[in-house]
Amino acid sequence: MTYIVKPQFHHPSLPTNALGFTRRDYEGRVSTLCAGCGHDSISAAIVQACFEIDLEPHRLAKLSGIGCSSKTPDYFLSASHGFNTVHGRMPSVLTGANLANRELIYLGVSGDGDSASIGLGQFAHAMRRGVNMAYIVENNGVYGLTKGQFSATADKGSKSKKGVVNSDSGIDLVAMALQLGATFVGRSFSGDKDQLVPLIKAALTHKGAAFIDVLSPCVAFNNHKGSTKSFDWVREHNEAVNRLDVILGRVPVTAAYAPGSLVEVAQHDGSILMLRKVAQDYDATDRVKAMAYLHERQAVGEIVTGLLYVDPESEDLHDALATVARPLNALSDAELTPGAAALDRINAALR
């Protein structure tokens, strides 16, 4: 599929935003992910969000790590800046880019393996430092590129495609983001576009560390009965680690439900995914109550979605460091290297 090139022709009657761009102008290459993958729905939501907020594509910098989720920036906003880092290191590379050029809008795309395992420390420091970014985790609970082992977000008691029961407690990145000081925290479902698009729009325009955990089931390795992040029932006797599978196209699972309500989403394999959307009278500005509400609903097996917490008076890393307003590439040599006298004053202040 990598050889397939999208046609450049745009129908003259396509709707445009305030900048004159069509939705097609925010798209990327043809996806090489499995047919029906929830990650593609997230990419589509990002495209829609950027189109609706009238974002100039060249003002966005998209960064990712390694994994199925980290491939997705190739599938949206081809005209934006992009950098694919090594496994788990997206937050630190993004932090450096953000400090060097604060005029860009930063979008970090990661996965549950990339952020909750090898990149857990990087995730934690990006949240606590208040890096001005939208951080999206496409969470499917498995390592899709290496045949579906449990990731760190897999729930305790869930089963792998081979029937192995996960004995480890799952890491809740939403709870961690709240505890670490993120000033915007949300959770959504890849099949709920009506909820996901506004969340992404808000995250991209938020000042500070904005985190969204998106439940995005893996149609290839986490669609079996017993998985708590499933779409489909996998082949019953698939034991060989090097077996090649043909992934058949499926109709994406979607959900639309009112705020404050609980919905049971039927998966292709007959399993039920229970989602609760926060009520309209939910106070999203109280961090402690948000954490308590998450634990309360988790105890009865529900996944809370929506905008869970936001600080209306948030600050970012630039505020904490008192950096200059201009990007580094706009500063002169004299401003970047103020001389020995300035260095002596700095050293004297540290004695």
Side-chain angles (χ1 to χ4, degrees):
M1 291 177 58
T2 55
Y3 60 85
I4 299 177
V5 179
K6 285 188 176 180
Q8 298 298 315
F9 174 75
H10 287 195
H11 194 280
S13 64
L14 285 178
T16 60
N17 60 14
L19 300 175
F21 291 115
T22 69
R23 189 184 181 281
R24 287 286 307 277
D25 293 317
Y26 294 89
E27 294 179 354
R29 296 187 182 183
V30 175
S31 172
T32 61
L33 297 176
C34 303
C37 178
H39 292 1
D40 285 333
S41 297
I42 300 173
S43 295
I46 293 172
V47 168
Q48 188 66 30
C50 292
F51 170 75
E52 291 184 4
I53 64 173
D54 303 321
L55 175 66
E56 295 174 296
H58 69 273
R59 290 197 60 228
L60 181 78
K62 52 184 182 180
L63 291 90
S64 63
I66 297 294
C68 290
S69 57
S70 295
K71 294 171 59 179
T72 62
D74 197 30
Y75 311 142
F76 59 82
L77 276 84
S78 291
S80 66
H81 304 278
F83 195 89
N84 185 234
T85 72
V86 296
H87 205 3
R89 299 319 192 251
M90 176 273 292
S92 58
V93 176
L94 188 149
T95 299
N98 182 280
L99 288 174
N101 188 350
R102 64 191 299 171
E103 291 186 346
L104 296 178
I105 296 174
Y106 290 89
L107 172 63
V109 179
S110 185
D112 41 298
D114 196 53
S115 284
S117 289
I118 190 170
L120 186 60
Q122 300 254 328
F123 165 78
H125 293 302
M127 293 297 102
R128 77 182 185 89
R129 287 172 177 156
V131 180
N132 191 12
M133 66 181 296
Y135 194 129
I136 297 177
V137 167
E138 300 177 349
N139 186 355
N140 57 21
V142 297
Y143 290 103
L145 289 182
T146 54
K147 305 304 179 185
Q149 301 92 336
F150 292 123
S151 79
T153 64
D155 295 313
K156 186 174 183 178
S158 61
K159 292 183 180 179
S160 72
K161 65 180 288 185
K162 297 180 181 179
V164 178
V165 178
N166 182 28
S167 59
D168 299 328
S169 297
I171 292 177
D172 187 344
L173 291 173
V174 164
M176 286 194 65
L178 283 167
Q179 187 175 19
L180 290 165
T183 52
F184 180 106
V185 180
R187 175 184 277 144
S188 193
F189 171 50
S190 61
D192 189 357
K193 185 178 180 180
D194 290 340
Q195 182 189 65
L196 182 55
V197 170
L199 275 177
I200 295 175
K201 290 166 63 177
L204 288 172
T205 56
H206 178 76
K207 180 182 180 181
F211 175 70
I212 306 177
D213 178 40
V214 186
L215 184 62
S216 179
C218 175
V219 296
F221 297 109
N222 212 9
N223 62 350
H224 49 275
K225 188 175 182 179
S227 169
T228 58
K229 295 179 173 65
S230 66
F231 268 162
D232 304 314
W233 178 262
V234 298
R235 298 173 179 86
E236 187 176 355
H237 301 294
N238 186 5
E239 298 293 338
V241 296
N242 60 350
R243 176 176 176 176
L244 299 178
D245 285 346
V246 176
I247 308 301
L248 301 177
R250 296 185 181 264
V251 177
V253 176
T254 61
Y257 52 113
S261 64
L262 174 69
V263 65
E264 295 184 355
V265 182
Q267 310 301 296
H268 294 306
D269 62 358
S271 61
I272 300 296
L273 184 66
M274 298 179 65
L275 301 173
R276 178 178 292 276
K277 190 176 295 187
V278 296
Q280 290 180 336
D281 59 353
Y282 173 85
D283 184 4
T285 63
D286 192 319
R287 187 186 299 270
V288 175
K289 288 184 178 179
M291 295 175 68
Y293 185 75
L294 283 174
H295 288 295
E296 173 191 326
R297 304 324 304 173
Q298 186 181 42
V300 295
E302 295 176 5
I303 302 170
V304 182
T305 65
L307 176 58
L308 306 177
Y309 174 75
V310 63
D311 183 353
E313 300 179 357
S314 61
E315 296 184 345
D316 68 352
L317 185 58
H318 287 283
D319 294 322
L321 298 179
T323 61
V324 296
R326 286 182 293 161
L328 296 186
N329 62 6
L331 300 177
S332 66
D333 290 340
E335 291 171 308
L336 291 172
T337 54
L343 181 61
D344 289 340
R345 289 196 299 272
I346 295 174
N347 288 334
L350 298 176
R351 291 191 178 95

